[in-house]
Structure formats: C-alpha cells, structure tokens
Amino acid sequence: AQTVTQSQPEMSVQEAETVTLSCTYDTSESDYYLFWYKQPPSRQMILVIRQEAYKQQNATENRFSVNFQKAAKSFSLKISDSQLGDAAMYFCAYRSAPRYSGAGSYQLTFGKGTKLSVIP
Amino acid sequence: EPEVTQTPSHQVTQMGQEVILRCVPISNHLYFYWYRQILGQKVEFLVSFYNNEISEKSEIFDDQFSVERPDGSNFTLKIRSTKLEDSAMYFCASSRTAGQPLYSNQPQHFGDGTRLSIL
C-alpha cells in the first residue's frame, strides 16, 4: 500500500515571499501520478499542480512549481510570490497509473495536509 | 468552469438514522468517487464508481454504505444506520477518465463537501 507523508502540519510565509511545502511518499510502483490540492476555508479542494512520475521535468503552474525527486520519493511544492489567497490547507496526493483498464487503483491517497498561513 | 456540486452542505442526523448525501458530478465525467475527512485527519478514499457499478472500495466502505447513480446526473452515498464515528466531511469527486489510455492523467475534481454531524 502507498503512503503519503506531509511532515509540516503548519507553515507560514510573508506575503510576496517564497515557501516550500514538503511531501514524501512510499510506493513500490514505478508509474504513478502525484498531485497537490489546495483546500481554502470555503472547503472545495482545488487541484494546484500534478506530476507524472515518468516525466523528469518538474511541473510548473504560474507561481506554483514542484521539486520531484523520484529516487528520494519526494514531491515538494514551491509557492513563489505568496499571496493572501494562497492561505489554505495543502494536500499532497498519490495515484497509481494502471497500464490497462480495470487494473490497479484509481483512488487518491492523501497526506495529512499542511496548513499554510500568509502574513500580510 | 463546470463544477462538482454537493448537497446538503451540512447534515445533522440522529445516530441510527439513514442519511443520503447527494452529488452532481461534472456532466461529461465517467468516474465518480466518495472520500471522507474526519476532523483533523487526512482525506480517506471510500469508493469509486464506473459504468453503474463499484470499481473499487476501501475497508471503510462496509455494508452500512452504498452508492447509486439513480439517474443521469446524480451520484449518491447512503449510510444505512449512522454511527457517531461517521461524523466527517464527505467529498464527492469525478474525473473524465481514470487512467486510460496509458499515462492519461485526468485529475479528480472535488465538490465543496457535505459536513455530516451525527448526534
């Protein structure tokens, strides 16, 4: 079974500064997907960024980027130029990549989350 | 942008009563999921649903739980006889595919959740 660990229950960052949220995972699979979801106080979980394990290039989405270290099983999220609207719970999630229909697990396995506060 | 919608936003129910949580997935999505998040804990997978049947379920999803797609738009989670420990936030999610073709990575889109409180 896969596990996802987020070792930072809470983080804070000054507005306009950069913050990195850490995530490690454990798996015996070689193909998988990794995600960061954001859950603001309004509750809806929003996809922030995703990474396919077979891609060596780190994913980026505007101010959000990841540092994907496959050998170390590490998947950290960097938020640049932090904004007040970035304040939320951030969840790291893992999903298998089945090779054919019906194989493997499509479920997301989540970490416990990191609560990010942005200080004006 | 299309969204997953869930109703009600908050449900309060007496222990032992049946509860139905409702979800309207994104219209062209084919895969549907339920997750729950007990206060202060991680989000946990309950069940996935495809082609009118359960494709996968977790240990949490015991005989007290059932899912249904009663029409072309709704996806429901029923808890037959609620227990105190069922109190949680329940999230519905949907995706267009679940991983096909190979390396297809269609993300799951989540609803706002239903907060279920069992008294």
Side-chain angles (χ1 to χ4, degrees), chain B residues 98-113:
Chain B
Q100 290 302 307
L102 180 63
Y103 299 128
S104 169
N105 182 13
Q106 296 296 322
Q108 294 175 25
H109 296 260
F110 285 79
D112 279 353

Side-chain angles (χ1 to χ4, degrees), chain B residues 10-55:
Chain B
H10 191 188
Q11 174 83 44
V12 181
T13 302
Q14 291 286 334
M15 187 173 63
Q17 296 295 305
E18 174 183 285
V19 66
I20 297 176
L21 310 182
R22 302 180 192 280
C23 169
V24 179
I26 294 172
S27 62
N28 65 345
H29 284 190
L30 303 175
Y31 292 82
F32 315 115
Y33 311 83
W34 283 101
Y35 292 82
R36 79 171 185 191
Q37 184 182 27
I38 294 172
L39 187 64
Q41 298 186 26
K42 64 172 68 177
V43 178
E44 301 171 292
F45 169 77
L46 293 178
V47 66
S48 59
F49 192 85
Y50 169 69
N51 200 25
N52 283 320
E53 61 182 24
I54 291 173
S55 51

Side-chain angles (χ1 to χ4, degrees), chain A residues 16-33:
Chain A
E17 296 295 306
T18 295
V19 65
T20 299
L21 308 184
S22 67
C23 172
T24 58
Y25 57 93
D26 189 27
T27 184
S28 57
E29 298 173 332
S30 58
D31 293 323
Y32 48 87
Y33 306 132

